[in-house]
Amino acid sequence: MKSVIFVAYYMHWWLPRKRCFGGKTKDCGGSREVSIGIGQNGMKVYIHTALIAFLSTGIISCGQQIGKDSVERYPGTGEARSAIEHIEDRNHSEPIPIHLEIERIAEADFYEACQQAGARIPVEKVIDHELVREKLKGVVEFRKMEGYLGIEGIRFRNGTSTDGRYPLDECSFVAYFPKDDVLLLEGGHSTDVSFDLETGVETHEVGNPDLATTSPNGLYRLTKIYEGQECFYHFIQKGKNGKFKKAIELNESFESRTGKWLCVTEKEFWSDDHTLYFGLVTRYSEEGNEYEFYRVHINNSNNT
């Protein structure tokens, strides 16, 4: 039953992303997204400012919900509680020790904090096939396919290459993010596949920049990837020297402390560089989604 329920939800959400070669962004208090690309009808540039988000009823804000036909209740064992988690990410040669305080909060407290949050940091992405082939010439070997742009191989800027590390023949181009130097692809079952073109680091370290929410001064970033079944994998990255590196998994920390399944989050925002808020979707309905609201406070060993 669970799989049937979520198929309807994700067919509705993710198939439009595949058609337009771009991800859907959500925001709490306003957003601006810049898309660079030439589609069938010519150059299209989308700029959504915080002012437009405020005036338009079509932009998703902290006070809006997305109605879905499917209904699902996530498993849980009691109420969430405040907790501190200290994890050193095993995938880093130089682990970044992170302390998380995870607390379930009242809906009123969530929306009060949301109203004080600033607009999302803009995301620039290249979605046009011809433009991205020009920009990444010598780095990414593309192949034109009927209806999409395939990938033959990647020669990373550090001198390494994919060389069969990932079944790229199953992937299609989605977007290129110049600031992060990240290539986003779509794999089988609509999974997110991404590569840092400078370092060769892959999906579970890089994430999907289109789904990322960055703290006000760029110290931390919540990002996630769609894993092709029902849920997203969430993790927090730390910014350093203009790049973001994975600092800690959020799914594992959240689930071990709350007994709740961190499957789909929405309405994410940061009130400051160390405090993250999000709504955990617990039920979908046409009348409006239901949420549990959480605050995550981040500390590290250097208190920065």
Side-chain angles (χ1 to χ4, degrees):
M1 176 63 73
K2 179 175 65 178
S3 297
V4 173
I5 290 169
F6 274 95
V7 164
Y9 172 58
Y10 283 108
M11 287 289 287
H12 177 79
W13 188 4
W14 290 102
L15 286 182
R17 190 197 73 173
K18 185 174 182 179
R19 288 198 299 269
C20 65
F21 298 100
K24 178 179 286 187
T25 59
K26 305 179 183 64
D27 198 6
C28 168
S31 67
R32 183 177 68 173
E33 176 183 294
V34 181
S35 300
I36 301 176
I38 305 175
Q40 295 177 349
N41 298 320
M43 176 69 75
K44 296 181 179 179
V45 179
Y46 302 93
I47 302 178
H48 301 288
T49 63
L51 178 60
I52 295 176
F54 178 78
L55 295 176
S56 172
T57 59
I59 299 296
I60 301 171
S61 71
C62 62
Q64 294 174 299
Q65 297 176 333
I66 307 173
K68 300 297 176 186
D69 295 333
S70 55
V71 178
E72 173 69 6
R73 173 68 64 181
Y74 298 107
T77 55
E79 295 297 313
R81 60 186 183 277
S82 298
I84 299 178
E85 181 79 359
H86 179 226
I87 293 179
E88 293 187 358
D89 180 40
R90 295 182 294 274
N91 294 321
H92 281 287
S93 57
E94 297 181 3
I96 305 173
I98 294 291
H99 301 259
L100 296 184
E101 299 175 16
I102 302 174
E103 180 182 11
R104 182 177 174 181
I105 62 174
E107 179 178 359
D109 293 336
F110 178 87
Y111 285 112
E112 182 179 356
C114 178
Q115 297 302 323
Q116 304 302 318
R120 221 168 179 174
I121 296 176
V123 176
E124 179 184 346
K125 61 183 178 181
V126 179
I127 60 174
D128 174 62
H129 293 182
E130 295 303 322
L131 185 57
V132 76
R133 292 177 74 177
E134 177 183 338
K135 282 184 169 293
L136 299 180
K137 185 176 181 180
V139 179
V140 180
E141 185 178 356
F142 294 99
R143 55 188 173 93
K144 282 189 174 181
M145 305 296 292
E146 185 175 355
Y148 68 94
L149 189 62
I151 309 294
E152 291 283 357
I154 304 173
R155 302 178 184 88
F156 300 108
R157 304 188 198 280
N158 64 1
T160 63
S161 65
T162 48
D163 286 337
R165 285 163 46 191
Y166 193 91
L168 294 175
D169 58 333
E170 299 179 3
C171 297
S172 60
F173 169 73
V174 175
Y176 169 61
F177 300 86
K179 183 177 179 180
D180 291 291
D181 201 16
V182 166
L183 180 69
L184 177 64
L185 311 175
E186 183 177 286
H189 304 288
S190 298
T191 54
D192 287 333
V193 178
S194 57
F195 295 92
D196 184 319
L197 297 182
E198 179 181 344
T199 64
V201 173
E202 300 180 19
T203 310
H204 284 78
E205 298 279 324
V206 177
N208 180 343
D210 229 4
L211 302 178
T213 306
T214 307
S215 68
N217 295 303
L219 185 59
Y220 289 103
R221 181 167 77 176
L222 170 69
T223 190
K224 48 188 173 180
I225 57 173
Y226 178 56
E227 296 191 300
Q229 297 297 323
E230 300 167 352
C231 298
F232 292 78
Y233 170 69
H234 304 74
F235 59 98
I236 294 171
Q237 298 171 309
K238 186 173 182 179
K240 185 177 181 180
N241 299 325
K243 298 286 287 185
F244 282 94
K245 287 189 175 183
K246 182 179 177 181
I248 191 171
E249 296 181 359
L250 185 56
N251 289 59
E252 180 180 349
S253 301
F254 182 88
E255 292 166 10
S256 67
R257 294 298 176 177
T258 68
K260 302 293 180 70
W261 186 18
L262 191 67
C263 185
V264 179
T265 64
E266 296 180 347
K267 304 176 179 287
E268 302 95 337
F269 68 93
W270 296 80
S271 62
D272 55 52
D273 277 325
H274 295 85
T275 310
L276 168 69
Y277 291 79
F278 62 83
L280 173 64
V281 180
T282 58
R283 184 181 180 88
Y284 300 104
S285 70
E286 291 183 352
E287 292 73 26
N289 296 341
E290 293 182 10
Y291 301 89
E292 291 177 354
F293 297 101
Y294 290 88
R295 176 171 54 219
V296 178
H297 187 72
I298 302 173
N299 293 303
N300 61 34
S301 59
N302 297 321
N303 295 318
T304 58

